[in-house]
């Protein structure tokens, strides 16, 4: 036990002498900090300019205020109709929503199906895109909220003629004071787990990016191990025990990285709970260790692995559900480690999948090592 502890301390010390390894460790809190910082700023996908033909129109101002409330994906700014169109033409804004001078009257005509009530809010866009189409849903919701009030007044006046003696504002008070409690929608993920709150779209990729970083660290550690092996650092270790030495080397690296990753996720408020995170760290640490060993066994720990690393990073970011989860490539996702780290907190089945993935990596590593030894012996005999 004392000897194992000494090996642990010595290998830790050796890893921390590697500038690239320390850089990866420091990259974890820096990455989380930058994403958290950007989440506080305007992280909009679409920029929309809001304009009123009549700057003094209080009704349009009310709709604009409603649009600007709780907006994360869309960045709103106000301007005159002419400036709004110029901003769109110059590419400084994605769209302009221009409200007519008599917005209340135009909306009233729309509800009462009067002539000339079609298309009274001008939407100016350079091109039709999916984000802009989704943004218009927010415009529809804001305008619809006001049209509901007019529809309510229309219905009350028709079914209760005596309400003619009551002002519109007084009738609307009954509508606004209606006691409606609870939520209309309940949000679940695709695995049946209920989501209590909506995460910021800028911080959600953090777990995936850190998982990719941990996997990259395992590949880099494989190159460290090969370098140390070539330099005779493990010459005193019997050859039959070197597989355990390599696994320990990888696990020490993984434990350091995942410890910092877990702290970073906790600090960012993205942790799934201490027990869940510890179990994920254990299984994913073994996964990273075996993945790094398998990559070294297949591609070697030198130039081949260095050439593979950038390609591997791009593939993991594109295939794994870091930013987007494409159902068409779901089977490919299971070939790469980050998939399991990303999904485990939200679906208990992935703990089983991760354990099976660890076993498959071990079997593949054993098969590749045996095949290489067999080929080496055949060459010697030949």
């Amino acid at each position: 036990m004392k000897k194992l502890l000494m090996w642990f301390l010595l290998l830790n010390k050796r890893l921390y002498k590697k500038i690239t390894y320390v850089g990866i460790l420091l990259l974890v809190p820096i990455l989380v900090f930058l994403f958290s910082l950007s989440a506080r700023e305007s992280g909009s996908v679409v920029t929309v300019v809001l304009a009123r033909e009549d700057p003094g129109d209080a009704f349009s101002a009310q709709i604009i205020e409603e649009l600007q409330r709780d907006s994360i994906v869309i960045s709103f700014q106000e301007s005159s109709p002419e400036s709004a169109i110029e901003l769109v033409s110059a590419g400084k804004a994605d769209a302009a929503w221009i409200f007519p001078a008599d917005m209340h009257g135009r909306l009233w005509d729309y509800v009462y199906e009067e002539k000339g009530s079609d298309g009274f809010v001008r939407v100016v866009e350079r091109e039709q895109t999916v984000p802009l189409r989704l943004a218009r849903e927010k415009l529809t919701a804001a305008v619809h909220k006001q049209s509901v009030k007019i529809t309510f007044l229309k219905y009350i006046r028709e079914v209760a003629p005596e309400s003619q003696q009551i002002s519109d504002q007084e009738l609307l008070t009954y509508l606004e004071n209606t006691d409606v409690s609870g939520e209309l929608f309940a949000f679940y993920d695709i695995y049946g787990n209920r989501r209590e709150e909506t995460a910021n779209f800028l911080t959600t990729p953090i777990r995936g990016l850190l998982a990719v970083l941990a996997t990259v660290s395992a590949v880099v550690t494989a190159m460290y191990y090969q370098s140390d092996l070539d330099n005779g650092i493990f010459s005193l270790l019997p050859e039959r025990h070197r597989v355990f030495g390599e696994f320990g080397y990888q696990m020490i690296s993984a434990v350091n990285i995942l410890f910092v990753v877990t702290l970073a996720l906790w600090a960012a408020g993205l942790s799934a709970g201490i027990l869940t995170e510890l179990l994920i760290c254990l299984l994913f640490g073994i996964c990273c260790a075996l993945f790094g060993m398998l990559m070294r066994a297949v591609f070697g720990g030198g130039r081949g692995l260095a050439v593979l690393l950038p390609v591997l990073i791009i593939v993991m970011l594109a295939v794994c559900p870091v930013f987007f989860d494409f159902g068409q490539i779901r089977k490919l996702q299971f070939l790469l480690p980050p998939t399991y780290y990303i999904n485990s907190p939200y679906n208990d089945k992935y703990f089983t999948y991760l354990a099976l993935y660890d076993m498959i990596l071990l079997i593949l590593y054993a098969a590749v090592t045996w095949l290489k030894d067999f080929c080496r012996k055949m060459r010697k005999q030949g």
Side-chain angles (χ1 to χ4, degrees):
M1 187 66 185
K2 190 175 182 180
K3 193 173 182 180
L4 286 174
L5 181 61
M6 184 179 295
W7 270 97
F8 176 80
L9 294 174
L10 289 174
L11 288 177
N12 249 317
K13 183 179 178 182
R14 188 156 189 81
L15 281 172
Y16 279 99
K17 285 184 177 180
K18 309 284 188 181
I19 296 177
T20 50
Y21 184 78
V22 175
I24 292 174
L25 280 174
L26 292 176
L27 192 58
V28 172
I30 291 172
L31 190 65
V32 174
F33 173 75
L34 290 177
F35 266 77
S36 299
L37 189 64
S38 63
R40 298 174 191 169
E41 303 295 331
S42 177
S44 59
V45 173
V46 174
T47 301
V48 176
V49 184
L50 304 173
R52 289 177 284 171
E53 292 181 354
D54 179 8
D57 189 347
F59 192 77
S60 294
Q62 188 178 354
I63 296 176
I64 289 175
E65 183 182 350
E66 177 70 25
L67 286 169
Q68 291 176 325
R69 189 179 301 129
D70 300 328
S71 181
I72 298 175
V73 179
I74 310 172
S75 175
F76 289 111
Q77 52 184 283
E78 289 190 62
S79 185
S80 65
E82 295 77 13
S83 297
I85 295 173
E86 288 177 4
L87 289 170
V88 176
S89 299
K92 296 180 180 179
D94 298 293
W97 297 345
I98 303 171
F99 297 91
D102 184 17
M103 181 64 188
H104 186 270
R106 299 298 295 273
L107 192 59
W108 190 277
D109 291 340
Y110 170 76
V111 172
Y112 278 84
E113 300 179 348
E114 297 289 342
K115 293 182 179 180
S117 63
D118 294 334
F120 49 90
V121 178
R122 275 197 294 161
V123 177
V124 181
E125 299 171 346
R126 295 183 66 189
E127 58 181 346
Q128 290 268 355
T129 64
V130 173
L132 284 176
R133 289 181 181 181
L134 294 174
R136 290 202 296 269
E137 294 296 323
K138 188 172 180 67
L139 173 62
T140 302
V143 176
H144 178 72
K145 185 175 181 179
Q146 299 301 325
S147 68
V148 165
K149 296 179 181 180
I150 299 175
T151 304
F152 169 76
L153 293 173
K154 178 176 180 289
Y155 178 77
I156 290 296
R157 302 295 190 199
E158 290 176 352
V159 300
E162 59 272 18
S163 63
Q164 299 291 340
Q165 307 300 322
I166 306 174
S167 67
D168 290 348
Q169 194 60 42
E170 190 174 352
L171 287 174
L172 288 175
T173 303
Y174 293 103
L175 176 65
E176 293 167 356
N177 292 337
T178 302
D179 186 17
V180 178
S181 59
E183 297 290 335
L184 186 60
F185 303 106
F187 295 94
Y188 291 83
D189 60 26
I190 60 173
Y191 307 109
N193 302 309
R194 182 160 185 166
R195 294 186 303 178
E196 296 300 329
E197 58 183 16
T198 303
N200 189 295
F201 78 101
L202 285 173
T203 59
T204 48
I206 289 180
R207 176 175 285 273
L209 290 172
L210 294 180
V212 170
L213 196 61
T215 308
V216 168
S217 175
V219 178
V220 172
T221 303
M223 291 189 282
Y224 292 156
Y225 175 80
Q226 185 65 50
S227 176
D228 289 344
L229 187 64
D230 295 340
N231 292 329
I233 301 297
F234 298 97
S235 57
L236 296 178
L237 192 66
E239 190 170 351
R240 65 180 183 275
H241 292 158
R242 282 184 183 174
V243 61
F244 301 107
E246 183 179 5
F247 181 74
Y249 199 103
Q250 283 281 0
M251 278 301 294
I252 290 169
S253 172
V255 166
N256 280 277
I257 291 289
L258 291 175
F259 176 74
V260 176
V261 166
T262 303
L263 286 180
L265 289 174
W266 175 79
L270 300 173
S271 175
I274 186 63
L275 293 178
T276 302
E277 292 293 350
L278 287 175
L279 182 57
I280 294 172
C281 281
L282 174 62
L283 293 173
F284 193 67
I286 296 172
C287 172
C288 287
L290 293 172
F291 187 79
M293 292 168 66
L294 179 61
M295 292 297 102
R296 189 190 73 85
V298 174
F299 300 98
R303 187 173 299 175
L305 207 53
V307 172
L308 173 71
L309 191 55
V311 178
L312 183 63
I313 294 172
I314 294 171
V315 170
M316 287 191 294
L317 290 174
V319 174
C320 297
V322 178
F323 298 101
F324 303 101
D325 189 3
F326 299 108
Q328 297 89 338
I329 58 173
R330 187 69 49 79
K331 292 180 181 178
L332 287 176
Q333 293 176 356
F334 288 102
L335 299 177
L336 299 167
T339 299
Y340 302 93
Y341 190 82
I342 295 168
N343 290 317
S344 291
Y346 314 111
N347 188 353
D348 293 341
K349 291 180 181 178
Y350 274 84
F351 287 104
T352 305
Y353 298 159
L354 182 53
L356 290 172
Y357 186 71
D358 290 348
M359 292 177 63
I360 292 170
L361 288 176
L362 179 60
I363 293 169
L364 289 174
Y365 173 77
V368 172
T369 304
W370 178 86
L371 185 60
K372 291 178 71 174
D373 289 341
F374 178 77
C375 292
R376 194 180 299 116
K377 289 177 183 179
M378 291 296 291
R379 281 198 301 268
K380 285 182 180 180
Q381 291 177 2

